[in-house]
Amino acid sequence: MTVPAGAAPVRVRPLVIAAVGGGLVALSMPPWGWWPLAFVGIALFDAVAADEPARRRRALLGFVFAACWLYPAVAWMWFLTVPGYLVAAALFAGMHAAAAAVAPSGRWGVVGRPAAHTLAEVVRFLFPFGGVPLASLGISQAAGPLLGVARIGGVILLTWLVWQVGAALGRLVPIATAAWRDRRRPDERPSVALATLGAAVVVVIVSALAPSGRDADRRPLDVAAVQGGGEQGTRALDVPSAEVTERHLTATRSIEPDPALDLVVWPENAIDVDRLAFVDSAPYEAIRAEVDRLGVPFSIGLTIDSEYSARPVDDSFVNAQLIVEPGGAVTGWYEKVRIVPFGEYVPLRGLLEALGAPLENVASDATRGREPARLVVSRNDGPVTLGPMISWEVFFGDRARAAADADVLIN
């Protein structure tokens, strides 16, 4: 490589290591779910970032690492919006580039870097559009033994824990390797890295010993969850809503009446009612027949024109979950509070339309729902309270906390 006079050479090896680290973190995410790779990936990135004195180069390393983590992990966005996929992953990678640039170097970097990158994840949970917390480090641990940490500090504490353990390993492994190879005391003392690793262990122990909530004083809720199925990769605009509903009805008809059954749950968007109240629609009549056949309440996912909701808004719709009781009464209605940017509404719609952006997939904007996040279903030994979170809302801890006094959370 020819380097102009006065210019610093571009060191490729650290960039490759950062890219590999980001790829390993991506593989720790669903659908792969190889959770230990998150620690390995962060350790690789931290090892090269710690040895880079120039902030600009650390920023580049941070961007490469995060891009190789996020582009594969949110690749499904490509099917929704190609420009959104390209821009969103680049924006989030830029946040981690900034974190890498501002994080301290030297002995205390093993503390500062996890804190800075955790802060970048906090920003992702808040900005833009109220937060887009896709492929977060907490999600990487959904199938791992450390998930219980989220009970005491939410996804942010779990994010810090993963980053802190990875960063500590990124410092301790080279120190131990150098000491073993050279048979001498290493130049860098491992005390700070060991202390941070010890702090992470304490967090894990506390989370394991922390109270886990009240014990149920009644029998468990027996639920039949229905997923109608269909061809992967299709869009709502490509498939008639009646076909989607019929798939779920077909699956529901396979359920045999059972005295132990308490509730049947249908997912989000299983029904789309246009220009009618739900109780005046054909899907209602079909569902009522199944409710009466099984003799238990149904929790139904529904999109409907806003004019038939609790808070009518012209040219809008709501994404709701409702309860249909035996006999046909609709006794509960929850409307989604956290709606999806560019999925259920378009931020800056007027500006984007003026620029000619293709917005046909989101022809109208959803109306945000209101509290409470609570649905009540009947049962022989007394009513059961459900705390609903619809789809996207499960990424946000405040939606679960809004329903924290419910007997059961459903997503």
Side-chain angles (χ1 to χ4, degrees):
M1 178 185 299
T2 302
V3 180
V10 177
R11 293 190 294 275
V12 175
R13 185 170 178 272
L15 293 174
V16 172
I17 293 174
V20 171
L24 293 177
V25 173
L27 291 174
S28 73
M29 303 286 169
W32 308 286
W34 298 331
W35 61 268
L37 295 183
F39 302 97
V40 179
I42 290 172
L44 288 174
F45 166 69
D46 196 83
V48 293
D51 293 333
E52 180 53 71
R55 291 186 184 275
R56 184 175 297 180
R57 289 196 182 119
R58 289 207 304 271
L60 178 59
L61 290 170
F63 184 88
V64 169
F65 167 79
C68 291
W69 150 22
L70 292 163
Y71 273 110
V74 300
W76 54 266
M77 283 184 66
W78 180 275
F79 299 100
L80 297 177
T81 164
V82 174
Y85 164 69
L86 297 174
V87 171
L91 174 63
F92 303 150
M95 293 178 184
H96 282 282
V102 302
S105 57
R107 185 183 184 192
W108 293 99
V110 72
V111 177
R113 282 186 298 276
H117 288 281
T118 300
L119 182 59
E121 290 291 273
V122 171
V123 173
R124 282 217 293 143
F125 274 69
L126 301 173
F127 173 85
F129 316 127
V132 188
L134 302 175
S136 68
L137 279 178
I139 294 173
S140 76
Q141 300 304 302
L146 302 179
L147 184 61
V149 170
R151 291 198 301 112
I152 63 171
V155 69
I156 297 304
L157 182 60
L158 186 55
T159 294
W160 169 84
L161 180 79
V162 175
W163 207 288
Q164 187 62 75
V165 171
L169 293 176
R171 298 317 299 155
L172 290 172
V173 170
I175 292 172
T177 301
W180 178 82
R181 184 179 61 241
D182 300 334
R183 298 292 194 273
R184 63 180 178 81
R185 187 182 184 123
D187 296 332
E188 180 182 347
R189 294 185 180 182
S191 54
V192 176
L194 286 172
T196 60
L197 197 58
V201 171
V202 169
V203 169
V204 173
I205 293 173
V206 169
S207 69
L209 299 178
S212 58
R214 58 187 172 84
D215 292 331
D217 55 0
R218 53 200 299 191
R219 69 178 178 84
L221 191 70
D222 200 320
V223 178
V226 176
Q227 180 69 60
E231 183 181 349
Q232 291 290 319
T234 56
R235 302 185 184 191
L237 295 178
D238 301 328
V239 181
S241 61
E243 182 177 329
V244 176
T245 302
E246 187 59 36
R247 291 286 185 104
H248 288 82
L249 284 169
T250 299
T252 302
R253 290 172 184 137
S254 69
I255 302 172
E256 296 295 332
D258 186 341
L261 184 62
D262 296 309
L263 175 69
V264 174
V265 176
W266 278 26
E268 175 194 34
N269 293 349
I271 301 170
D272 184 0
V273 179
D274 189 24
R275 295 185 293 277
L276 281 175
F278 173 62
V279 294
D280 296 328
S281 68
Y284 167 76
E285 295 298 333
I287 287 167
R288 177 175 177 175
E290 288 304 301
V291 170
D292 290 340
R293 181 180 70 85
L294 294 174
V296 297
F298 276 42
S299 177
I300 301 293
L302 170 77
T303 54
I304 191 169
D305 294 341
S306 178
E307 62 181 294
Y308 299 105
S309 72
R311 186 168 49 142
V313 176
D314 291 340
D315 298 322
S316 183
F317 69 96
V318 296
N319 188 345
Q321 195 78 12
L322 55 100
I323 302 298
V324 181
E325 291 277 357
V330 178
T331 60
W333 187 287
Y334 169 70
E335 296 173 7
K336 189 175 183 180
V337 174
R338 288 268 191 172
I339 56 178
V340 183
F342 300 103
E344 292 170 314
Y345 79 103
V346 177
L348 308 174
R349 179 182 286 274
L351 173 61
L352 293 174
E353 286 177 338
L355 295 173
L359 303 179
E360 62 274 5
N361 287 340
V362 191
S364 61
D365 292 339
T367 299
R368 297 179 188 275
R370 291 184 291 182
E371 307 296 352
R374 199 167 293 111
L375 298 170
V376 179
V377 297
S378 61
R379 198 168 75 164
N380 292 337
D381 60 349
V384 176
T385 303
L386 308 179
M389 295 171 286
I390 298 177
S391 182
W392 178 246
E393 292 186 314
V394 79
F395 289 105
F396 299 91
D398 65 319
R399 297 315 310 145
R401 289 191 293 272
D405 61 345
D407 297 307
V408 180
L409 297 180
I410 63 170
N411 172 230

